Amino acid sequence: MSKKITIAIDGHSSTGKSTAAKQLALKLHYVYVDTGAMYRAVSYFALREKLLVNGNLDKQKLIEKLKDIRISFVFNKDTNNADVHLNGENIEKQIRTLEVSSVVSKVAEVSEVRAKLVEQQKAMGDKKGIVMDGRDIGSVVFPDAELKVFMTAAPEIRAQRRYLELVEKGDDVSLEEVLKNVVERDHMDSSREDSPLIQLPEAKLLDTSEMTREEQFELLVSWAEEAIEKA
Ligand code: DC
C-alpha cells in the first residue's frame, strides 16, 4: 500500500478548486474537505441571526455566538457529496447563494472564526489521506502538506463559470454582479490581516483559464502520484 499524504489546494474563488479536489480525492480514495463551505456555513448563521445589517457585521455578537455553531459534513448518497450541516441541519443549498458569497469574506476575516474552523480542519486531517481546499490550507492548516497547489484563472472567466452555475440553479443574477463579487472577494481574501490567500513558493501553479476539467484533473493526478512516490 502506498503512503497516504496530505494535499492542500488553495486559490482564488471560482477557479474550479472544489470540483478538481473532489475528483482527486475520489481517485485516491482520500477524504475531501471543502473549507469554503465551513466559512459559508458561519456566514449563513450570521445572516440568519441578523448579525449583518446593511453589510456591517456585528463581530462581537458573532464571536459570542461561535460556541453555538457546530459544523459537520454528512455524506449524501443521492448526490455523492458530503453536505455541510449546521447544528444538524443540512444547509448545503442555502450556502451556495450570491447573498452568502457577498458576506463570506467579512466573516472569514474574523480571527476567532478562523481559529475555530482551523482547529476542526487540522483534526480532520490528522490521519492524512486528505484533499482539502480553501485559502490558507498550505500556509496555516497543513504547512507540512506533501503537495500544495495554487489554483487561479482570469477573473472574467471565473465570473462566467460561476454565473452559469447560479443561473442553472435558478438564481436571478447578472454577470456584472457576479464579476464584481469575484473581484471583491479576491481583494478581501488576499489583503486580510489573518491568514491571507498567498501563493506559496513551494505550491504548484494551476492556471485553469485555458484548461478543460479533464486537463486539470490529469495534471493534478500526476502531481499527486509524484508526491506520493516521494513520501
Ligand atoms: O471556496 P469558497 O469560494 O466557497 O470560499 C468562500 C469564502 O470563504 C472565500 O471567499 C474566503 C473564505 N475562505 C477562507 O477564508 N479560508 C478558507 N480556507 C476557505 C474559504
Side-chain angles (χ1 to χ4, degrees), residues 124-160:
M124 289 192 273
D126 66 353
K127 292 189 182 65
K128 295 188 173 263
I130 191 164
V131 182
M132 190 173 275
D133 83 43
R135 303 295 186 287
D136 60 341
I137 311 307
S139 57
V140 176
V141 183
F142 300 128
D144 298 328
E146 288 86 350
L147 174 61
K148 297 181 185 180
V149 178
F150 186 87
M151 284 179 73
T152 190
E156 294 73 18
I157 291 177
R158 291 188 275 134
Q160 177 72 25

Short mmCIF file of all heavy atoms in Angstrom, two decimals, residues 124-160:
data_model
loop_
_atom_site.label_atom_id
_atom_site.label_comp_id
_atom_site.label_asym_id
_atom_site.label_seq_id
_atom_site.Cartn_x
_atom_site.Cartn_y
_atom_site.Cartn_z
N MET A 124 -9.46 17.02 11.24
CA MET A 124 -9.98 16.18 10.16
C MET A 124 -8.83 15.56 9.35
O MET A 124 -8.99 14.53 8.72
CB MET A 124 -10.90 16.99 9.23
CG MET A 124 -12.23 17.35 9.87
SD MET A 124 -13.44 18.01 8.68
CE MET A 124 -13.02 19.72 8.70
N GLY A 125 -7.67 16.23 9.36
CA GLY A 125 -6.56 15.75 8.54
C GLY A 125 -5.49 15.03 9.32
O GLY A 125 -4.43 14.72 8.77
N ASP A 126 -5.75 14.72 10.59
CA ASP A 126 -4.64 14.20 11.40
C ASP A 126 -4.18 12.81 10.98
O ASP A 126 -3.09 12.38 11.35
CB ASP A 126 -4.95 14.30 12.91
CG ASP A 126 -6.10 13.40 13.32
OD1 ASP A 126 -6.73 12.81 12.42
OD2 ASP A 126 -6.38 13.30 14.52
N LYS A 127 -5.01 12.10 10.19
CA LYS A 127 -4.57 10.76 9.74
C LYS A 127 -4.08 10.79 8.30
O LYS A 127 -3.88 9.74 7.68
CB LYS A 127 -5.73 9.77 9.88
CG LYS A 127 -6.08 9.51 11.33
CD LYS A 127 -7.06 8.38 11.46
CE LYS A 127 -7.45 8.15 12.91
NZ LYS A 127 -8.19 9.33 13.46
N LYS A 128 -3.92 11.98 7.74
CA LYS A 128 -3.52 12.15 6.32
C LYS A 128 -4.57 11.52 5.40
O LYS A 128 -5.68 11.26 5.81
CB LYS A 128 -2.12 11.62 6.08
CG LYS A 128 -1.08 12.43 6.84
CD LYS A 128 0.31 12.01 6.44
CE LYS A 128 1.34 12.93 7.07
NZ LYS A 128 1.76 13.98 6.16
N GLY A 129 -4.19 11.28 4.13
CA GLY A 129 -5.17 10.73 3.19
C GLY A 129 -6.31 11.71 3.00
O GLY A 129 -7.49 11.35 3.03
N ILE A 130 -5.94 13.00 2.81
CA ILE A 130 -6.97 14.04 2.73
C ILE A 130 -6.63 15.04 1.62
O ILE A 130 -5.45 15.35 1.39
CB ILE A 130 -7.11 14.75 4.11
CG1 ILE A 130 -8.36 15.64 4.15
CG2 ILE A 130 -5.88 15.54 4.48
CD1 ILE A 130 -8.78 16.06 5.54
N VAL A 131 -7.66 15.50 0.93
CA VAL A 131 -7.52 16.61 -0.01
C VAL A 131 -8.41 17.71 0.56
O VAL A 131 -9.61 17.52 0.74
CB VAL A 131 -8.01 16.25 -1.43
CG1 VAL A 131 -7.80 17.42 -2.38
CG2 VAL A 131 -7.33 15.00 -1.97
N MET A 132 -7.78 18.86 0.88
CA MET A 132 -8.57 19.95 1.47
C MET A 132 -8.39 21.18 0.59
O MET A 132 -7.28 21.48 0.19
CB MET A 132 -8.07 20.22 2.89
CG MET A 132 -8.96 21.16 3.68
SD MET A 132 -8.44 21.29 5.42
CE MET A 132 -9.25 19.91 6.19
N ASP A 133 -9.49 21.86 0.30
CA ASP A 133 -9.33 23.09 -0.49
C ASP A 133 -9.82 24.31 0.28
O ASP A 133 -10.67 24.21 1.16
CB ASP A 133 -9.98 22.95 -1.87
CG ASP A 133 -11.46 23.21 -1.90
OD1 ASP A 133 -11.93 24.16 -1.29
OD2 ASP A 133 -12.18 22.47 -2.59
N GLY A 134 -9.19 25.45 -0.04
CA GLY A 134 -9.53 26.69 0.67
C GLY A 134 -8.63 27.83 0.27
O GLY A 134 -8.31 28.00 -0.91
N ARG A 135 -8.23 28.65 1.26
CA ARG A 135 -7.36 29.80 1.00
C ARG A 135 -6.06 29.74 1.80
O ARG A 135 -5.06 30.32 1.41
CB ARG A 135 -8.09 31.11 1.38
CG ARG A 135 -9.42 31.35 0.70
CD ARG A 135 -9.25 31.53 -0.79
NE ARG A 135 -10.51 31.91 -1.46
CZ ARG A 135 -11.53 31.11 -1.67
NH1 ARG A 135 -11.48 29.85 -1.28
NH2 ARG A 135 -12.62 31.53 -2.30
N ASP A 136 -6.13 29.05 2.95
CA ASP A 136 -4.97 29.04 3.88
C ASP A 136 -4.57 27.62 4.22
O ASP A 136 -3.99 27.38 5.28
CB ASP A 136 -5.37 29.78 5.16
CG ASP A 136 -6.55 29.12 5.86
OD1 ASP A 136 -7.28 28.35 5.20
OD2 ASP A 136 -6.75 29.35 7.07
N ILE A 137 -4.88 26.69 3.36
CA ILE A 137 -4.63 25.28 3.72
C ILE A 137 -3.12 25.00 3.73
O ILE A 137 -2.60 24.43 4.69
CB ILE A 137 -5.38 24.30 2.77
CG1 ILE A 137 -6.86 24.73 2.63
CG2 ILE A 137 -5.28 22.87 3.29
CD1 ILE A 137 -7.62 24.89 3.91
N GLY A 138 -2.44 25.41 2.66
CA GLY A 138 -0.99 25.18 2.61
C GLY A 138 -0.20 26.07 3.56
O GLY A 138 0.89 25.72 4.01
N SER A 139 -0.74 27.23 3.88
CA SER A 139 0.01 28.18 4.71
C SER A 139 -0.26 28.00 6.20
O SER A 139 0.66 28.17 7.01
CB SER A 139 -0.32 29.62 4.30
OG SER A 139 -1.72 29.85 4.39
N VAL A 140 -1.48 27.66 6.58
CA VAL A 140 -1.84 27.63 8.01
C VAL A 140 -2.31 26.25 8.49
O VAL A 140 -1.85 25.76 9.51
CB VAL A 140 -2.96 28.68 8.30
CG1 VAL A 140 -3.43 28.60 9.75
CG2 VAL A 140 -2.49 30.09 7.96
N VAL A 141 -3.24 25.65 7.75
CA VAL A 141 -3.85 24.40 8.24
C VAL A 141 -2.85 23.24 8.15
O VAL A 141 -2.61 22.55 9.14
CB VAL A 141 -5.17 24.08 7.48
CG1 VAL A 141 -5.82 22.82 8.06
CG2 VAL A 141 -6.15 25.25 7.56
N PHE A 142 -2.28 23.05 6.95
CA PHE A 142 -1.30 21.97 6.78
C PHE A 142 -0.01 22.51 6.15
O PHE A 142 0.29 22.24 4.98
CB PHE A 142 -1.88 20.86 5.89
CG PHE A 142 -3.12 20.21 6.41
CD1 PHE A 142 -4.26 20.10 5.62
CD2 PHE A 142 -3.17 19.70 7.71
CE1 PHE A 142 -5.41 19.50 6.09
CE2 PHE A 142 -4.32 19.10 8.19
CZ PHE A 142 -5.45 19.00 7.39
N PRO A 143 0.80 23.24 6.92
CA PRO A 143 2.04 23.78 6.35
C PRO A 143 3.01 22.67 5.91
O PRO A 143 3.88 22.92 5.10
CB PRO A 143 2.64 24.64 7.49
CG PRO A 143 1.86 24.31 8.70
CD PRO A 143 0.57 23.68 8.31
N ASP A 144 2.81 21.44 6.45
CA ASP A 144 3.70 20.34 6.06
C ASP A 144 3.12 19.45 4.97
O ASP A 144 3.65 18.35 4.73
CB ASP A 144 4.01 19.45 7.30
CG ASP A 144 4.75 20.23 8.37
OD1 ASP A 144 5.51 21.14 7.99
OD2 ASP A 144 4.54 19.96 9.57
N ALA A 145 2.06 19.90 4.32
CA ALA A 145 1.43 19.07 3.28
C ALA A 145 2.46 18.67 2.23
O ALA A 145 3.29 19.48 1.82
CB ALA A 145 0.29 19.85 2.62
N GLU A 146 2.40 17.42 1.80
CA GLU A 146 3.37 16.91 0.81
C GLU A 146 3.12 17.50 -0.57
O GLU A 146 4.03 17.58 -1.38
CB GLU A 146 3.28 15.38 0.74
CG GLU A 146 3.84 14.64 1.95
CD GLU A 146 2.83 14.48 3.07
OE1 GLU A 146 1.75 15.09 3.01
OE2 GLU A 146 3.14 13.73 4.02
N LEU A 147 1.86 17.87 -0.84
CA LEU A 147 1.56 18.51 -2.13
C LEU A 147 0.71 19.76 -1.87
O LEU A 147 -0.32 19.70 -1.21
CB LEU A 147 0.81 17.54 -3.06
CG LEU A 147 0.30 18.16 -4.38
CD1 LEU A 147 1.46 18.68 -5.24
CD2 LEU A 147 -0.52 17.14 -5.18
N LYS A 148 1.20 20.88 -2.40
CA LYS A 148 0.44 22.14 -2.31
C LYS A 148 0.20 22.65 -3.72
O LYS A 148 1.13 22.67 -4.54
CB LYS A 148 1.22 23.19 -1.52
CG LYS A 148 1.48 22.79 -0.07
CD LYS A 148 2.23 23.87 0.68
CE LYS A 148 2.59 23.39 2.08
NZ LYS A 148 3.32 24.40 2.84
N VAL A 149 -1.04 23.05 -3.97
CA VAL A 149 -1.40 23.54 -5.31
C VAL A 149 -2.05 24.91 -5.15
O VAL A 149 -2.82 25.14 -4.21
CB VAL A 149 -2.39 22.56 -5.99
CG1 VAL A 149 -2.82 23.08 -7.36
CG2 VAL A 149 -1.78 21.17 -6.13
N PHE A 150 -1.72 25.82 -6.06
CA PHE A 150 -2.37 27.14 -6.08
C PHE A 150 -3.13 27.27 -7.39
O PHE A 150 -2.54 27.23 -8.46
CB PHE A 150 -1.32 28.25 -5.97
CG PHE A 150 -1.92 29.62 -5.84
CD1 PHE A 150 -2.28 30.13 -4.60
CD2 PHE A 150 -2.17 30.40 -6.97
CE1 PHE A 150 -2.85 31.40 -4.47
CE2 PHE A 150 -2.74 31.66 -6.85
CZ PHE A 150 -3.07 32.16 -5.60
N MET A 151 -4.47 27.39 -7.28
CA MET A 151 -5.29 27.47 -8.49
C MET A 151 -5.76 28.89 -8.75
O MET A 151 -6.20 29.60 -7.85
CB MET A 151 -6.51 26.54 -8.38
CG MET A 151 -6.13 25.08 -8.59
SD MET A 151 -7.52 23.94 -8.44
CE MET A 151 -8.42 24.24 -9.94
N THR A 152 -5.68 29.29 -10.00
CA THR A 152 -6.19 30.60 -10.39
C THR A 152 -6.73 30.55 -11.81
O THR A 152 -6.61 29.53 -12.50
CB THR A 152 -5.09 31.68 -10.22
OG1 THR A 152 -5.69 32.97 -10.38
CG2 THR A 152 -3.96 31.52 -11.22
N ALA A 153 -7.34 31.65 -12.23
CA ALA A 153 -7.82 31.82 -13.61
C ALA A 153 -8.20 33.28 -13.75
O ALA A 153 -8.39 33.98 -12.73
CB ALA A 153 -9.04 30.94 -13.89
N ALA A 154 -8.32 33.75 -14.97
CA ALA A 154 -8.67 35.16 -15.20
C ALA A 154 -10.04 35.45 -14.56
O ALA A 154 -10.94 34.61 -14.65
CB ALA A 154 -8.72 35.44 -16.69
N PRO A 155 -10.21 36.62 -13.91
CA PRO A 155 -11.47 36.92 -13.22
C PRO A 155 -12.71 36.81 -14.13
O PRO A 155 -13.74 36.30 -13.70
CB PRO A 155 -11.30 38.36 -12.74
CG PRO A 155 -9.84 38.62 -12.75
CD PRO A 155 -9.21 37.69 -13.73
N GLU A 156 -12.60 37.26 -15.37
CA GLU A 156 -13.75 37.22 -16.28
C GLU A 156 -14.19 35.78 -16.55
O GLU A 156 -15.38 35.49 -16.63
CB GLU A 156 -13.43 37.89 -17.63
CG GLU A 156 -13.17 39.40 -17.56
CD GLU A 156 -11.83 39.75 -16.93
OE1 GLU A 156 -10.94 38.86 -16.86
OE2 GLU A 156 -11.67 40.91 -16.49
N ILE A 157 -13.21 34.92 -16.67
CA ILE A 157 -13.53 33.50 -16.94
C ILE A 157 -14.17 32.87 -15.71
O ILE A 157 -15.16 32.15 -15.80
CB ILE A 157 -12.25 32.74 -17.36
CG1 ILE A 157 -11.83 33.25 -18.74
CG2 ILE A 157 -12.45 31.22 -17.34
CD1 ILE A 157 -10.55 32.65 -19.29
N ARG A 158 -13.65 33.20 -14.53
CA ARG A 158 -14.22 32.65 -13.29
C ARG A 158 -15.65 33.14 -13.10
O ARG A 158 -16.53 32.38 -12.71
CB ARG A 158 -13.35 33.04 -12.10
CG ARG A 158 -12.00 32.35 -12.12
CD ARG A 158 -11.24 32.60 -10.86
NE ARG A 158 -10.49 33.82 -10.87
CZ ARG A 158 -10.46 34.70 -9.89
NH1 ARG A 158 -11.18 34.52 -8.80
NH2 ARG A 158 -9.71 35.77 -9.98
N ALA A 159 -15.87 34.44 -13.37
CA ALA A 159 -17.20 35.02 -13.20
C ALA A 159 -18.19 34.35 -14.15
O ALA A 159 -19.32 34.02 -13.77
CB ALA A 159 -17.17 36.52 -13.44
N GLN A 160 -17.77 34.14 -15.38
CA GLN A 160 -18.64 33.50 -16.37
C GLN A 160 -19.04 32.09 -15.91
O GLN A 160 -20.20 31.71 -15.97
CB GLN A 160 -17.88 33.45 -17.71
CG GLN A 160 -18.62 32.76 -18.85
CD GLN A 160 -19.79 33.59 -19.37
OE1 GLN A 160 -19.79 34.80 -19.24
NE2 GLN A 160 -20.80 32.91 -19.90
#
